Amino acid sequence: EPAASTYQEQAVIYQGSQNFKRIALTYDDCYLVTMLHRLEDILEQHPDVRITLFPVGEALLNNQTKDSGVWQRFVEKGHEIGYHSFDHTNPEVISAEGVIADYDRWMDALHEVLDNEPVVRFARPPFGNTSASFLHMCAQRGLVPTMWSTGWGGPTESVVTYTVPKIQRGDIVLLHTRPEDMDTTANALPELA
């Protein structure tokens, strides 16, 4: 087993390639099924857009009970699901073995809500904490630790006016499934297309 310093040296992604005219839209937590429905509606108007959802395990299970096909629909339309912990506990306060157990519990929840074998490539720690225990789990489970280079949120008009023009190729955009992020997404996607 490698020393803890090896985990800290593992590459953490903050931005994608700037060689392509693309950005990555990512959504954390995903607690409210109503906001997932709103996101589905927005994405329906932009069929070429793909996103990565980083739901916590509790949200996977809770939203599945409210809409039994919600996660499967996202996957079927080509969107990805990445690990974001089971219950949004800061990985810094959990041992390396505890974070692995948390990922396995999250993965069990993902298996429960999807009809097919899920492919999980990305992991984002709660609170953006790339602790040694989190990096250890990523190394053990073959996941890419993924952060962000910019975030949206707040009044839609100011985001579209001031933030969207500053977006660069390869940016990883952090959002949450909150009403203001859905408003921003709906208004910003036409500007970015």
Side-chain angles (χ1 to χ4, degrees):
E1 183 171 76
S5 63
T6 302
Y7 310 129
Q8 293 168 345
E9 294 167 9
Q10 182 175 351
V12 177
I13 304 298
Y14 289 88
Q15 188 161 13
S17 171
Q18 294 180 338
N19 294 331
F20 304 99
K21 189 179 177 183
R22 293 187 180 145
I23 63 169
L25 295 179
T26 66
Y27 292 83
D28 283 9
D29 305 337
C30 306
Y31 288 114
L32 301 173
V33 75
T34 54
M35 292 299 103
L36 291 175
H37 291 157
R38 180 113 189 268
L39 185 55
E40 281 185 291
D41 291 342
I42 294 165
L43 292 169
E44 192 70 32
Q45 298 170 27
H46 304 279
D48 296 334
V49 173
R50 299 292 176 272
I51 64 169
T52 302
L53 298 162
F54 285 99
V56 296
E58 291 174 334
L60 286 169
L61 297 173
N62 290 338
N63 288 328
Q64 183 73 4
T65 63
K66 295 172 183 166
D67 177 349
S68 65
V70 67
W71 301 111
Q72 187 64 38
R73 288 193 305 272
F74 277 106
V75 170
E76 286 173 354
K77 291 181 180 169
H79 307 294
E80 288 204 45
I81 297 180
Y83 168 74
H84 192 52
S85 84
F86 188 81
D87 59 7
H88 214 273
T89 299
N90 187 336
E92 188 173 59
V93 301
I94 306 173
S95 69
E97 295 77 20
V99 177
I100 290 172
D102 183 78
Y103 172 77
D104 292 343
R105 184 177 179 202
W106 178 89
M107 194 63 163
D108 287 344
L110 186 62
H111 279 244
E112 188 174 322
V113 303
L114 293 181
D115 294 336
N116 53 344
E117 184 65 27
V119 174
V120 179
R121 300 186 299 161
F122 304 106
R124 177 172 288 158
F127 310 105
N129 191 332
T130 54
S131 66
S133 59
F134 178 80
L135 295 176
H136 172 75
M137 181 280 300
C138 288
Q140 292 295 307
R141 294 297 186 254
L143 300 169
V144 178
T146 306
M147 300 299 280
W148 59 91
S149 54
T150 189
W152 288 352
T156 299
E157 181 180 326
S158 65
V159 171
V160 174
T161 302
Y162 300 107
T163 306
V164 170
K166 295 177 185 173
I167 296 289
Q168 298 179 18
R169 290 176 176 207
D171 273 343
I172 299 172
V173 182
L174 169 65
L175 296 137
H176 291 81
T177 50
R178 304 173 298 202
E180 60 267 29
D181 287 324
M182 295 303 101
D183 292 342
T184 299
T185 299
N187 288 291
L189 281 179
E191 298 285 325
L192 295 168

